Amino acid sequence: MKEIVVNGGKALKGQVRIHGAKNASLAIMCAALISDVPITLENIPNISDINTLMNIIGAMGGEVRWSGSDSLYIAPPDKINVEAPRDQAKKLRASNLLLGPLLTKYGYAKIALPGGCNIGVRPMDLHFKGLSKMGAKIKLEKGCIVAKADKLRGASIYLDFPSVGATENIMMAACLAEGQTFIENAAKEPEIVDLANFLNAMGAKMRGAGTDLIKVVGVNSLYRCDRYTVIPDRIEAGTYMVAAAATRGDVVVQNVIPKHLEPLIAKLKEANVDVIVGEDYVRVKAGKDLKPVDIKTMPYPGFPTDMQSQMMVLLSTIPGISTIVENIFENRFQVVDELKRLGAKIKVEGRIAIIEGVEELQGAEVRATDLRAGAALLIAGLVANGETRIGNSEYIYRGYQDVQEKFMALGADIRQI
Ligand code: EPZ
């Protein structure tokens, strides 16, 4: 198991450039399979989740390779062997986003039940409800999702919860379905809008992405796009913003879309952090007397659950009582036990975490339990006095490209062993 060692207690200073959005890239790579022509995707982060999905698409007969430091060439196969390799598919949640594309293009899909971070049960009932309404026959067989559909039909689908993945799978399935599809109570994340922009560039007829009603008119094929650039990663950006505030530093986070960061910027300002918003950058300087705040994670444009663990570290350094309510996942406070080993004072009552700010954190040995918990422990190590060793740091490499190099450029004493 890889380990990251951090010697903390120093304020981060300087500039960091953000890479492409992991969660937009994963969905768009799956959507590219619907195309009849090869596509080059740009601004793709070189992280392990992307490389795992490349292995899956390659094993299914697609041709996919890096064609530049941050660009991927994807040529969907005419005939696809529709079984996603089990060992790879189990590694990440996004393998479930192959369902919609395979069903709408090839009429069949066999995917191992997806893996991903253990932050909750991660059911797929909303995916199955929507796709079944469009005529797909879906069953679970020996830990695999087996789905068949001669021709998907458009349908009106109401999502009980604005699930990102379910919205994405239904959007992709609807592209080549017969007739119109309406997705009500759809997820509105920026990654949903980026996926819709890509599908429309390929020739889909999709309106309303970013609102809670998405309308799709099915077409015969998608072939109009051979190059697409993915949006920057708002969660990577937010992670560096919170690291700057937590270490009381001064960091310019470049290559961002500020609009996507609004919920986080608002909360940081409420905590008295100095945030200067530019055209495509955000500068974060921790003010003098930071104030405790209350956070509730919500679907976009609410506060993002993927920033919850990182914020817990910042709040642990602010005198007073802060609270975090985690409304999206039922098991996303695993980082608390690890933060307590560093001296944090946090009490968890169900979905509520009560954080009492402490004077300082002391370095210790900790272990990452999921991607964002790993990122949070990295920030905690940068804040804590002394040495922090983070086990299971493979989790961090799933979602953060060049994470050591970027933090070292900001003055951090960090190395991997
Ligand atoms: C996506 O996961 C992201 N992953 C997650 O990012 C992110 O935390 C999440 O959206 C919420 O924003 C990718 O895009 C690859 P959901 P997804 O379906 O699609 C429940 C990261 O760190 N639900 O919106 O799996 C589910 O249990 C990762 O980058 C159902 O009940 O999220 C959860 O409680 C972590 N039934 C809630 O909805 C379903 O059929 C949100 O899940 C589907 C979901």
Side-chain angles (χ1 to χ4, degrees), residues 16-30:
V16 61
R17 188 170 172 70
I18 298 305
H19 277 94
K22 165 176 87 83
N23 292 344
S25 302
L26 293 168
I28 284 169
M29 286 168 70
C30 295

Side-chain angles (χ1 to χ4, degrees), residues 1 16 73 148 209 216 305 312 343 346 388:
M1 286 291 184
V16 61
Y73 172 84
K148 289 193 184 74
V216 190
T305 173
M312 199 175 276
I346 305 168
T388 297

Side-chain angles (χ1 to χ4, degrees), residues 22-24 26-27 49 92-97 117 119-128 161-168 187 189 191 233-235 298-300 304-306 327-330 332 351 370-372 399:
K22 165 176 87 83
N23 292 344
L26 293 168
D49 270 9
L92 81 164
R93 171 82 179 170
S95 47
N96 70 359
L97 298 177
C117 292
I119 50 182
V121 173
R122 315 290 297 266
M124 288 185 61
D125 54 308
L126 298 175
H127 298 242
F128 299 156
F161 181 88
S163 153
V164 171
T167 302
E168 291 169 337
E189 274 69 6
E191 293 74 27
D233 195 314
R234 62 192 168 101
I235 306 300
M298 296 297 278
Y300 193 88
T305 173
D306 292 348
N327 289 312
I328 309 295
F329 288 104
E330 66 274 21
R332 205 170 199 173
R351 286 195 176 232
D370 60 78
L371 164 58
R372 306 303 173 183

